[in-house]
Amino acid sequence: EKLSKLLRISIVLFFGRLGLPIAIVGRGLHYVIGNPIMPPSDSIGEDAAVRKMHDDFCKEMAGIFERYKSKYGWGHKRLRIV
C-alpha cells in the first residue's frame, strides 16, 4: 500500500490457482482494466457522492463485462450485480 501511495497507482498482484503466484499450465489468467473513476474533491464523504461513485463503478464494470465477455468465451453469460 505504501508503494501504491508513493507511485500514485494501484498495484495489482497476479495470482494463479490456490493463491500461487504462478499460473497453472493450461489455464491462463485474463485481466481487463476500465476507465478511471475520479471522486469529486469537494464532496468527500457525502452520501450522494458515494452513491454516484458506486453507480459509476457498477456501470463501468457492466460495460467492461459486455465489451470483453465474447473474447473470453462468456458470450452467453449475463452479469448481475447485487
Side-chain angles (χ1 to χ4, degrees), residues 16-37:
R17 292 174 115 185
L18 306 173
L20 298 173
I22 57 172
I24 304 297
V25 176
R27 180 161 295 223
L29 299 175
H30 305 286
Y31 294 90
V32 294
I33 298 174
N35 297 320
I37 300 171

Side-chain angles (χ1 to χ4, degrees), residues 52-80:
K52 182 183 177 335
M53 283 196 64
H54 182 261
D55 290 343
D56 291 347
F57 176 79
C58 291
K59 286 177 189 173
E60 184 64 26
M61 288 295 293
I64 289 170
F65 181 79
E66 291 300 323
R67 243 185 332 265
Y68 294 104
K69 70 180 182 179
S70 295
K71 293 181 181 184
Y72 297 109
W74 295 349
H76 62 286
K77 297 200 179 217
R78 220 172 34 114
L79 178 67
R80 188 173 64 157

